[in-house]
């Protein structure tokens, strides 16, 4: 369409809009004039206010009934904590949310008040992350502060370009000039107050306008407070997230360093492996003596890599490479069989702290599960006492289900949900008992047969559960790598820093 055609279309549309709006506007004007001449204008205003109040009360009661029957509102993504955070970081996030919920919009009347709100948020996070420090607010390094500035600047730049009118055109000098004209608003408000006084020469008209303007101003104040509250909440949440990353040590290393980092434990286990491109997931297999741990490792590795019958137990922690199509590279670590000693429990807790997923193996035909229960509780208690660590997810493999009653029946597969056959009923009862004793849900318990002479059964279900727990395991892997890379002291790095500092000083001296 040509320019002349578009202009003609716009003119016709404007004329049509005026023709439609003119009757309504004329009725409003002439109707108000008739009410004023007849002396009914004040009555009409009072009646309109009364009808508005009645409608407001009716909708208020109706909304309360609806809120009682409706489902509770779901939190927005901005209100949810990061999935990779540790329990301590999530606890700090609750402190941030409490500050956001307690915001009073009328108190944010100056830039100083907004800065004080941000400072209070940072201090709350710092005290939560470092409770034993006398001055936790400065518990970060200069590179961490620079990384935080870089991240905030990177997020603010697209915000200004996309959401601020002329944000990509206006200069800093122009912005300062515009800010200098802010006092004009005060003069406009004073002039409007003077007009309100002059308007009192016509009391009826003044009363009508005052009622309408007070109502409009109240609605404006309500909307303004709501907007200020939402903006302040987002401000507190963004400051809180940045503070949690800062004081949680997540800015100590770059994403590239974290991707290349391999922990000393994995370096030890991969000493004979050539490729060490990235830190793999570490799957710890634990359980009592002769529970079937090594058999599970064999079944998952799809080849015999661990001694099953030749040795009574795995003497030490043995790591094996675990590969499966569609899953990331991993190390599966076979642990010595537990017999109830404190030294074994301490070693297993240390291994669990170095792992990303724990697979507990329990013999379905054995009723003595006290050693399992005590050790699992010790592992859970360790992570509860160390909220700066993320507990790896745990699953349970119920082995030797072929030994359950009736002993002669073994014709898999079995439908555990319906449990119509006697063997299926025994398996389901064993799952319920083990879950109640050791604190596992049914979805985390996988019944299996790991005996080659009988026939490997349900190993695919074990793989399926491992795959379902992979996201949580990868979050634990991330926190473990952050702790290992950010918290260690590197003498080689210190030597490189000293050499670089010497080079800089020598250049300055020579120049």
């Amino acid at each position: 369409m040509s320019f002349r055609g578009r202009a003609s279309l716009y003119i016709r549309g404007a004329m049509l809009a005026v023709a439609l709006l003119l009757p309504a506007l004329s009725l409003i004007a002439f109707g108000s004039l008739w009410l004023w001449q007849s002396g009914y204008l004040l009555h009409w205003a009072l009646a309109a206010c009364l009808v508005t109040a009645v409608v407001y009360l009716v909708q208020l009661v109706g909304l309360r009934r609806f809120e009682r029957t409706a489902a509770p509102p779901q939190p927005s993504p901005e209100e949810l904590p990061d999935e990779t955070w540790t329990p301590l970081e999530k606890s700090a996030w609750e402190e941030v949310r409490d500050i956001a919920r307690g915001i009073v919009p009328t108190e944010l009347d100056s830039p100083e008040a907004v800065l004080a709100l941000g400072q209070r948020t940072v201090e709350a996070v710092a005290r939560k992350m470092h409770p034993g420090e006398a001055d936790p607010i400065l518990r970060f390094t200069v590179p961490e502060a620079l990384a935080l500035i870089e991240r905030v600047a990177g997020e603010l730049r697209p915000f200004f370009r996309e959401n601020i009118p002329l944000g990509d055109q206006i200069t800093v000098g122009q912005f300062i000039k515009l800010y200098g004209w802010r006092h004009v608003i005060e003069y406009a408000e004073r002039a409007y107050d003077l007009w309100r006084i002059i308007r009192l020469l016509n009391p009826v008209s003044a009363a009508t306008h005052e009622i309408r303007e007070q109502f409009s101003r109240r609605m404006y104040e309500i909307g303004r407070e709501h907007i200020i509250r939402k903006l302040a909440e987002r401000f507190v949440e963004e400051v809180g997230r940045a503070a949690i990353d800062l004081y949680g040590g997540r800015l100590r290393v770059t994403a590239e360093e974290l991707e290349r980092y391999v922990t000393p434990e994995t370096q030890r286990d991969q000493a004979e492996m050539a490729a060490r491109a990235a830190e793999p997931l570490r799957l710890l297999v634990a359980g009592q003596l002769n529970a079937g741990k090594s058999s599970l490792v064999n079944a998952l590795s799809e080849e015999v890599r661990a001694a099953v019958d030749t040795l009574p137990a795995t003497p030490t922690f043995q790591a094996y490479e675990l590969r499966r199509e569609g899953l990331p590279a991993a190390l599966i670590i076979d642990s010595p069989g537990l017999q109830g000693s404190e030294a074994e429990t301490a070693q297993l807790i240390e291994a669990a702290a170095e792992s990303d997923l724990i697979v507990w193996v329990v013999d379905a035909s054995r009723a003595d599960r006290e050693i399992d229960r005590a050790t699992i509780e010790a592992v859970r208690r360790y992570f509860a006492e160390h909220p700066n660590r993320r507990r790896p997810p745990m699953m349970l493999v119920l082995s030797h289900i072929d030994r359950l009653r009736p002993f002669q029946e073994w014709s898999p597969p079995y439908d555990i949900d319906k449990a119509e056959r006697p063997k299926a009923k025994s398996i389901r009862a064993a799952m319920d008992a083990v879950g109640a004793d050791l604190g596992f849900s049914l979805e985390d318990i996988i019944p299996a047969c790991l005996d080659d002479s009988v026939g490997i059964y349900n190993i695919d279900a074990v793989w399926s559960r491992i795959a379902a727990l992979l996201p949580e395991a990868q979050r634990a892997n991330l926190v473990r790598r952050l702790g290992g890379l950010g918290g260690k002291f590197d003498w080689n790095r210190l030597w490189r820093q000293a050499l670089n500092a010497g080079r800089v000083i020598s250049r300055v001296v020579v120049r």
Side-chain angles (χ1 to χ4, degrees):
M1 183 181 293
S2 64
F3 174 77
R4 180 173 297 178
R6 289 197 300 270
S8 176
L9 181 62
Y10 294 154
I11 292 173
R12 290 179 180 178
M15 293 175 63
L16 180 61
V18 171
L20 293 175
L21 292 175
L22 191 58
L25 294 176
S26 62
L27 286 175
I28 294 175
F30 290 119
S32 301
L33 180 61
W34 180 84
L35 289 173
W36 177 67
Q37 291 177 347
S38 304
Y40 295 130
L41 188 60
L42 184 59
H43 300 82
W44 174 85
L46 294 175
C49 293
L50 180 62
V51 171
T52 302
V54 171
V55 172
Y56 175 77
L57 293 175
V58 170
Q59 64 87 23
L60 184 62
V61 174
L63 283 179
R64 285 182 177 176
R65 291 182 178 177
F66 175 76
E67 290 174 354
R68 285 196 295 266
T69 58
Q74 298 296 325
S76 62
E78 293 82 4
E79 298 175 355
L80 296 175
D82 194 297
E83 293 182 347
T84 64
W85 283 347
T86 63
L88 183 60
E89 291 169 330
K90 291 182 179 179
S91 178
W93 177 250
E94 289 301 321
E95 295 278 346
V96 173
R97 288 294 304 147
D98 289 341
I99 294 176
R101 284 189 288 263
I103 290 174
V104 180
T106 55
E107 296 179 356
L108 303 178
D109 54 355
S110 64
E112 291 76 13
V114 177
L115 291 177
L117 179 62
Q119 182 177 358
R120 184 156 61 96
T121 303
V122 173
E123 290 177 351
V125 172
R127 292 193 186 95
K128 195 68 177 180
M129 298 297 295
H130 302 287
E133 296 289 333
D135 189 15
I137 194 72
L138 299 178
R139 183 70 183 272
F140 56 85
T141 62
V142 174
E144 286 177 301
L146 295 176
L148 181 62
I149 294 173
E150 180 182 5
R151 190 180 79 171
V152 173
E155 293 177 354
L156 286 179
R157 184 175 185 271
F159 175 81
F160 268 86
R161 289 179 60 90
E162 302 298 333
N163 300 282
I164 303 299
L166 299 178
D168 58 338
Q169 300 293 329
I170 190 171
T171 65
V172 175
Q174 293 170 339
F175 179 80
I176 294 175
K177 289 181 180 179
L178 290 175
Y179 183 74
W181 283 87
R182 66 187 186 278
H183 60 276
V184 176
I185 299 176
E186 299 178 1
Y187 293 130
E189 290 180 350
R190 294 176 183 175
Y192 179 72
D193 291 337
L194 180 61
W195 160 247
R196 291 173 62 190
I197 295 174
I198 297 174
R199 197 171 58 188
L200 290 176
L201 297 175
N202 187 346
V204 176
S205 177
T208 305
H209 285 288
E210 280 295 322
I211 293 173
R212 177 178 58 81
E213 289 173 4
Q214 289 297 330
F215 179 76
S216 300
R217 179 173 295 184
R218 180 56 183 162
M219 295 300 295
Y220 167 76
E221 290 295 332
I222 293 175
R224 178 173 174 271
E225 290 183 3
H226 177 74
I227 293 174
I228 292 177
R229 178 182 295 277
K230 287 299 180 184
L231 289 175
E233 287 180 358
R234 294 292 86 81
F235 168 73
V236 169
E237 289 167 358
E238 288 302 320
V239 171
R241 288 183 185 276
I244 290 173
D245 288 345
L246 178 64
Y247 293 104
R250 293 175 178 266
L251 301 179
R252 294 176 184 172
V253 295
T254 63
E256 293 77 12
E257 291 176 325
L258 186 63
E259 184 68 23
R260 294 194 305 266
Y261 177 65
V262 181
T263 61
E265 297 80 23
T266 298
Q267 291 180 9
R268 179 194 63 213
D269 295 332
Q270 289 183 328
E272 298 179 359
M273 299 178 186
R276 285 184 280 178
E279 172 74 4
L281 294 175
R282 297 174 60 88
L283 279 65
L284 176 64
V285 180
Q288 287 194 54
L289 188 66
N290 297 326
K293 302 183 303 302
S294 298
S295 299
L296 177 63
V297 172
N298 291 338
L300 292 175
S301 302
E302 298 181 350
E303 59 180 285
V304 177
R305 292 181 178 229
V308 178
D309 297 325
T310 57
L311 294 176
T314 301
T316 58
F317 291 88
Q318 299 289 336
Y320 306 96
E321 191 176 10
L322 187 64
R323 294 188 179 274
R324 185 177 176 88
E325 185 178 357
L327 297 178
L331 293 179
I332 185 168
I333 301 160
D334 192 5
S335 62
L338 296 172
Q339 301 183 64
S341 69
E342 295 183 0
E344 292 173 345
T345 302
Q347 290 178 353
L348 189 66
I349 291 176
E350 183 178 353
E354 300 169 357
S355 302
D356 307 312
L357 190 149
I358 300 175
V359 182
W360 209 273
V361 184
V362 175
D363 187 347
S365 61
R366 294 179 57 174
D368 54 329
R369 291 186 284 267
E370 181 58 29
I371 294 177
D372 294 304
R373 186 192 61 77
T375 310
I376 291 174
E377 286 185 356
V379 171
R380 290 169 174 162
R381 186 167 56 251
Y382 168 81
F383 285 99
E385 294 172 352
H386 295 78
N388 60 325
R389 298 293 306 272
R390 190 181 185 96
R391 193 186 80 182
M394 301 177 67
M395 59 177 290
L396 188 146
V397 175
L398 191 64
S399 64
H400 301 312
I401 59 173
D402 55 299
R403 301 178 185 178
L404 296 175
R405 295 177 181 274
F407 305 118
Q408 296 79 11
E409 180 192 339
W410 180 245
S411 56
Y414 293 99
D415 190 344
I416 306 302
D417 293 329
K418 294 182 180 179
E420 296 176 349
R421 299 161 62 183
K423 194 77 165 185
K425 293 180 179 179
S426 297
I427 296 173
R428 180 55 185 267
M431 292 173 61
D432 292 336
V434 170
D437 289 346
L438 305 182
F440 284 85
S441 62
L442 285 178
E443 65 177 357
D444 287 328
I445 302 175
I446 309 298
C449 178
L450 307 173
D451 190 349
D452 277 326
S453 62
V454 178
I456 302 297
Y457 168 66
N458 219 25
I459 199 66
D460 288 338
V462 177
W463 274 116
S464 178
R465 190 57 193 163
I466 290 176
L469 294 176
L470 271 183
E472 184 67 19
Q474 289 172 333
R475 297 182 192 112
N477 176 274
L478 172 63
V479 173
R480 182 171 59 83
R481 284 186 290 155
L482 280 171
L485 182 57
K488 69 174 184 177
F489 186 82
D490 192 345
W491 285 102
N492 292 328
R493 175 177 294 181
L494 178 61
W495 176 247
R496 290 196 302 270
Q497 291 170 342
L499 289 178
N500 292 333
R503 293 191 186 100
V504 172
I505 294 174
S506 63
R507 290 172 188 167
V508 173
V509 172
V510 171
R511 289 178 183 176

